[in-house]
Each structure stands twice: as structure tokens, then as C-alpha cells.
Amino acid sequence: TLVTSWAGDLDQALVGMRECADIHGPWLELNEYVLNVSGAEAIQSVRGRANEAFSWMERAFERLRRSRSRPGVADYLIHRTRAAMTAIGRDARNDPWLAAQLDLVSPRDAGRGYHRLVSWGARARYYLEKDDLGSDFEALVREFESEGHNPHFVHLVVSEYYVTVAHARLHQCLVGGPEERARRLPDLRRAASDLRACARIPLVRSHSLLVDGCLAYFEGRTRKAKKLLSEAETLATQQGCPWVLYGVARMQAHMLRAAGKEEAARDQARIAELLAREHGAVTRARWIREEFGLTEARTEPRMPSITSTRAST
């Protein structure tokens, strides 16, 4: 599974991870089991499949619940579970034991060594999923940068951190007015550059194409933006990545509205909101509703295929 993950064949990696958990899980040492399950959760989280991601974390915590020891990987598991629960809007207080485990480790505390390295993505994503991109998030970014990580050579799991920060910078540019966007663009350019550098597998590259496409639009390069967004959509469809698909639809909706096509923009926004909502991304679905004045649907409207979000821009 490690080899196939590094090669970018994530579907095959997930097959191996599921087989490892289902068949060999009872005989795996707890640290090995948690790392295997967490790897599957990380793949699904970066794809934007929040519901599936959380189901993997449930497996890991049930195993930890039955354990009489606290393994070294427990803190990493807590960071991943906190982010996964926040993504789908799950409240840990409904499970006192789980809530107590999460209280043991702050989002700002990741310890040292390997588990600290691979926790950056989950820690950053917690703030994004919580819709809290204020001082704590900025402090986390400064802390990461102070360690001198090189996106060209960083561990594959740390790609999640670069994906998350790029999406956070993109959101800040989308919701800010002209002056705020001008102030935020340097941060987005830096995040886009880092993400481009670490995009060694197709899934991460689909995120990079989306962010680069949005950046090109903000810089006035509309033709380039459309090309990059189209490439992002195609690659995301191949990679089973709804996060990028609804990201493309959201950006296209903003472009349509800027072109004075308000009705078409709202139609495109509805596609983006539906995709985000049906995959458990409660915060990003809410962002889209707020940006375009949509109401939360009680039943799913008839929509074009979720594998294609293209609209005339």
C-alpha cells in the first residue's frame, strides 16, 4: 500500500489498506493498525470524501478504545479524528470517552518527530473545517514555515498541509472585497507555488491546477484560468476528488457572477453546494450558500452529473 500510494495509485492503495484492516487487522500491532487506517483516511480527506474519511477514523478509535495502552501514534490519531469530525459537523461531546481523548491533545500541540511531521495536514485542516482562519491558523502556518520544510521533497502525507493552506488562502481571496483580495494575493501566490512544488501525485496535482486556475483569474488572466480549471476538473474526475470538482464549480460561479450572469452563477453554485453537501463538507457547503444566497435544500434537486461541473463562463 505504501508503494502504490507513493506511485499515486490511490484506489489500489485503498484496496490494500482495507484488506489489511479487515483481514489482518486483528493481528496487527496497534501502531501499525492506526497508521494503516489513518493513511486511508488521509486519502479520502484530501479527495474531499469526508463521510468515508470519518468512517476510517471510527475504526481506529474503536481499536484504541479496546486497548489497555496508549501508543505513540495516539496523538496523531487524535489530530486526524478532530479534523475528520469537524469536517462532517460531528460533535464529540455525544461520546464522553472520545471527547476525553480529544481533550488530551490541543490542535496546536503535535509533539516531536515523525508523528509531528505527518500531523501538519490534519492540524491545519481542523482550522479550515472549523472555518477559523484567524490568529491560531496563522500561528500554525508561521510555525510550519519556521521549520524550513521543502515542498519539493517533503513526505507525501505533508501534501495535505499544502493543499489545506492553499484552499484557505483561496477562500480568503474569494470572500474578501477588492482591497482584502489585493492584500491576500501574495499569500495565495506563495501557497500555490508550494502546492505546485509538492504535487508529485495526480490527486494533489488536481488541487494545484484548481488553485492555479483561481489565481490566474484573480490576476486577470481569464483564458488561462478557464484552461487550468478545465484541466483540474478532468483530473479530479479521474481521481475521484469531489473537493476539486465543487471547487471548480464554485469558482466558475464567481466568474459567471462577475460577468453579470447572475442566474447562471446561482445554478453553478447549486451544483457546487450539492457536491460539497453530499460528500459531508458541511463548512464549504455553507460557504457556497452564503456567497450566493442559497437556501439549504431539504431534498436533492435534479442536477447534471456530478462528474461534470462545466458551465459557460
Side-chain angles (χ1 to χ4, degrees), residues 114-227:
Y114 175 76
H115 294 146
R116 176 182 180 82
L117 176 67
V118 296
S119 293
W120 282 110
R123 292 167 64 203
R125 197 163 53 81
Y126 164 70
Y127 291 110
L128 181 67
E129 306 290 6
K130 189 183 176 186
D131 191 13
D132 181 6
L133 301 179
S135 58
D136 286 342
F137 174 76
E138 296 297 346
L140 185 75
V141 172
R142 289 194 299 272
E143 184 182 3
F144 180 85
E145 292 176 347
S146 72
E147 295 188 355
H149 299 279
N150 187 330
H152 289 278
F153 306 109
V154 78
H155 192 292
L156 178 62
V157 176
V158 187
S159 300
E160 180 186 18
Y161 169 84
Y162 291 108
V163 166
T164 301
V165 171
H167 279 282
R169 299 311 188 198
L170 174 57
H171 176 67
Q172 289 170 330
C173 286
L174 279 174
V175 299
E179 292 184 2
E180 176 69 7
R181 180 176 296 176
R183 187 175 73 85
R184 291 289 188 180
L185 269 180
D187 290 336
L188 179 58
R189 290 190 187 100
R190 183 161 54 251
S193 176
D194 287 344
L195 181 55
R196 203 178 305 123
C198 80
R200 301 193 298 272
I201 62 173
L203 174 61
V204 180
R205 178 161 171 72
S206 70
H207 284 277
S208 180
L209 287 167
L210 166 61
V211 174
D212 280 340
C214 296
L215 177 60
Y217 178 74
F218 294 147
E219 293 175 335
R221 297 178 291 144
T222 303
R223 183 177 296 179
K224 179 69 171 178
K226 291 179 180 179
K227 178 177 182 295

